[in-house]
Amino acid sequence: MILETGRIMAIEPHGVWVETIQKSACGSCKAEKGCGQSLINKWDGHTAYLWVLLEGRNPADYQLGDEIQIGIPEEVVAKGAMLAYMLPLLTLVIATALAHYQFAHEGITTLSGLAGLVIGGLIVRWYSQRTRLDNELQPVLVDDREPLHIYQAVEQH
């Protein structure tokens, strides 16, 4: 689980809005000095706001400005990155190849590749909108007790 510290900016009955400054990934990455994300992070302290589930905890136990620790399962980050980066590229390649073999005209092939890239991006956007409220994909609050919904296989005896 990827852990991040944040500050509570708003409290709702089922969750809190947390402001984070993304540092944890940059500190462990080997490309830190040559990465554009790291440079932008250092320059403007890029702030992100996340909605974090309270998972049955009492919202009255938290106050604005409290620092909390949140966790995001690694598989959620990995699958999300694969979807966001690979699907548009895959649709670009497929559309380009189909247009090339069907029409063999450079202009049509180029426009088809661009259309495939846009279609892949739209599919990613549609999927992210469809799954934005999925509890398995949400950041969880990590405190002195275990998060309530870490999904692990249970061995049957």
Side-chain angles (χ1 to χ4, degrees):
M1 179 166 290
I2 298 171
L3 299 176
E4 190 71 51
T5 301
R7 188 175 329 121
I8 297 177
M9 301 307 288
I11 302 171
E12 295 179 357
H14 300 289
V16 294
W17 283 98
V18 178
E19 173 187 48
T20 64
I21 299 174
Q22 300 166 346
K23 294 182 223 166
S24 63
C26 291
S28 62
C29 181
K30 292 184 185 344
E32 180 180 4
K33 299 215 186 281
C35 174
Q37 180 68 32
S38 176
L39 293 173
I40 290 171
N41 231 3
K42 289 176 184 173
W43 182 61
D44 73 350
H46 180 69
T47 302
Y49 296 95
L50 299 172
W51 190 73
V52 180
L53 296 171
L54 286 177
E55 299 179 308
R57 296 175 177 93
N58 186 0
D61 293 342
Y62 302 94
Q63 296 180 7
L64 294 178
D66 283 353
E67 284 205 6
I68 60 171
Q69 191 168 35
I70 59 174
I72 302 171
E74 287 98 352
E75 63 269 7
V76 170
V77 175
K79 288 176 184 176
M82 288 293 290
L83 177 73
Y85 290 112
M86 295 303 293
L87 184 64
L89 288 176
L90 186 63
T91 55
L92 177 141
V93 169
I94 290 171
T96 302
L98 288 174
H100 177 72
Y101 289 117
Q102 186 70 24
F103 302 108
H105 186 270
E106 188 174 324
I108 293 173
T109 302
T110 302
L111 289 175
S112 296
L114 183 60
L117 182 66
V118 169
I119 289 169
L122 290 173
I123 293 170
V124 170
R125 180 163 172 79
W126 168 80
Y127 185 76
S128 68
Q129 291 293 320
R130 194 178 126 236
T131 60
R132 74 177 187 271
L133 298 176
D134 187 347
N135 285 346
E136 292 180 24
L137 304 176
Q138 298 297 322
V140 294
L141 182 60
V142 179
D143 57 11
D144 56 346
R145 66 181 203 193
E146 285 293 311
L148 299 179
H149 84 269
I150 301 230
Y151 297 98
Q152 296 178 349
V154 177
E155 292 183 28
Q156 299 290 333
H157 295 282

